[in-house]
Amino acid sequence: MQTEEYGSRLYGFDQPLERERIALIGEVFDPYTRRRITDLGLLPGRRCLDVGAGPGTVAAWLADQAGPDGEVIALDRDTSLLNEAAHSGVQIWHADVHTATDDELPKPGFDLVHARLTLCHLPQRQEVLSRLVSWLAPGGHLIVSDVINTMAAASPQPAVRTLTQAYDHALLTTLDSDLNYARAYPAPLIDAGLTDVDMAADVPLVRGNSPTARFWELTFTAMRTEIIATGLIDGAGFDAAIAHLTAPRTHELGYTLVSAWGRAA
Ligand SMILES: C[S@@+](CC[C@H](N)C(=O)[O-])C[C@H]1O[C@@H](n2cnc3c(N)ncnc32)[C@H](O)[C@@H]1O
């Protein structure tokens, strides 16, 4: 099965509405990410790496937390949004994480490595996880977050349940992105050699007219053709599901953000 890279066409930063969609990722998920990282006890002066940093909202927040004595590096294969944002205190590492090596860094050993909504999109996700662990300083933390499809079980709307199942299938067959990966958390972190491993789940509610509803509308619509091509849902079903998700009275559980973390020995 021939798949394409995430961002090479689908969800590429040059695609219509992708800038709005990726900004909404921060709006929807940053509050959870900040809370989880804060709970790990991030202190001023730490060295942090954000992998697949996108527009860098998490990296910018990490730079604020780490302060002038800390160091924050944002890695992405497409650094155009990071370059534009030019967040104060954030250094940019333009690299594909599959092939990046810490030889490219001024000094190895991070106190915190973070990757949100990135591992699920990488074909060699377990190898990359091991690479991220190898970049930790002794006692440093890795925290990874990816979504799992809870809407397929929780939505009261059959069209929404079918849409999300078709979306997961389309992601896998088109991009090799696996939204089942985080179901296995935290086992991949234990397998990668981390200690003090734990996890948590956060569920942003989809309310009509909310940033979360708009995020999922844009996320599904960017892959409308591929979703319908699965044969699991037709155009009318797709449109009905989107109309429901964005209706003012909608209140539903969304996809769940699963965060897992652990510490290097
Ligand atoms: C869904 S976005 C998540 C962005 C950001 N982590 C967030 O949560 O706001 C996935 C990001 O991973 C980046 N990415 C995808 N494949 C990559 C790779 N092989 N190496 C580095 N970055 C990659 C994309 O360019 C994109 O910025």
Side-chain angles (χ1 to χ4, degrees):
M1 178 180 60
Q2 187 63 34
T3 56
E4 59 185 71
E5 287 181 330
Y6 177 99
S8 63
R9 178 180 64 95
L10 294 165
Y11 303 129
F13 294 156
D14 57 350
Q15 295 294 307
L17 300 176
E18 180 58 17
R19 281 166 180 264
E20 180 186 354
R21 193 190 77 90
I22 200 139
L24 286 165
I25 293 182
E27 202 172 326
V28 172
F29 294 110
D30 279 6
Y32 303 114
T33 298
R34 292 176 185 187
R35 188 186 320 148
R36 299 296 165 207
I37 293 177
T38 300
D39 287 350
L40 293 178
L42 184 70
L43 298 171
R46 299 295 171 95
R47 292 191 79 225
C48 308
L49 173 68
D50 190 21
V51 176
T57 58
V58 173
W61 175 78
L62 286 171
D64 282 346
Q65 304 302 301
D69 297 331
E71 188 178 2
V72 176
I73 299 179
L75 179 156
D76 209 289
R77 190 172 53 196
D78 183 341
T79 52
S80 52
L81 298 184
L82 286 168
N83 288 331
E84 269 176 41
H87 298 293
S88 156
V90 175
Q91 299 172 55
I92 298 170
W93 185 5
H94 186 188
D96 184 324
V97 71
H98 288 110
T99 50
T101 66
D102 62 3
D103 299 347
E104 298 161 40
L105 291 169
K107 56 178 179 174
F110 289 97
D111 301 304
L112 181 88
V113 175
H114 168 257
R116 184 180 69 193
L117 302 175
T118 298
L119 285 181
C120 66
H121 294 302
L122 304 177
Q124 295 155 37
R125 46 193 75 85
Q126 191 60 30
E127 290 85 342
V128 169
L129 188 67
S130 299
R131 166 169 295 152
L132 302 187
V133 168
S134 76
W135 291 346
L136 291 171
H141 282 96
L142 172 72
I143 175 164
V144 294
S145 305
D146 286 289
V147 287
I148 59 172
N149 183 359
T150 36
M151 293 190 90
S155 176
Q157 294 293 323
V160 172
R161 295 200 295 271
T162 306
L163 169 61
T164 64
Q165 286 163 343
Y167 174 66
D168 293 2
H169 188 67
L171 267 187
L172 193 61
T173 54
T174 312
L175 297 177
D176 204 6
S177 297
D178 185 3
L179 295 194
N180 278 316
Y181 184 57
R183 285 179 189 272
Y185 284 169
L189 284 76
I190 297 169
D191 294 345
L194 294 175
T195 60
D196 297 338
V197 169
D198 209 344
M199 65 187 285
D202 296 295
V203 188
L205 294 184
V206 178
R207 297 191 175 92
N209 295 329
S210 67
T212 312
R214 178 68 175 157
F215 167 68
W216 286 112
E217 177 188 9
L218 294 177
T219 298
F220 296 137
T221 302
M223 287 189 64
R224 189 179 197 276
T225 304
E226 291 76 14
I227 289 170
I228 292 171
T230 64
L232 297 172
I233 193 166
D234 60 15
F238 182 100
D239 295 341
I242 296 293
H244 171 74
L245 289 176
T246 54
R249 68 188 295 272
T250 293
H251 279 70
E252 291 206 7
L253 301 178
Y255 278 60
T256 298
L257 185 73
V258 181
S259 299
W261 56 87
R263 203 169 51 81

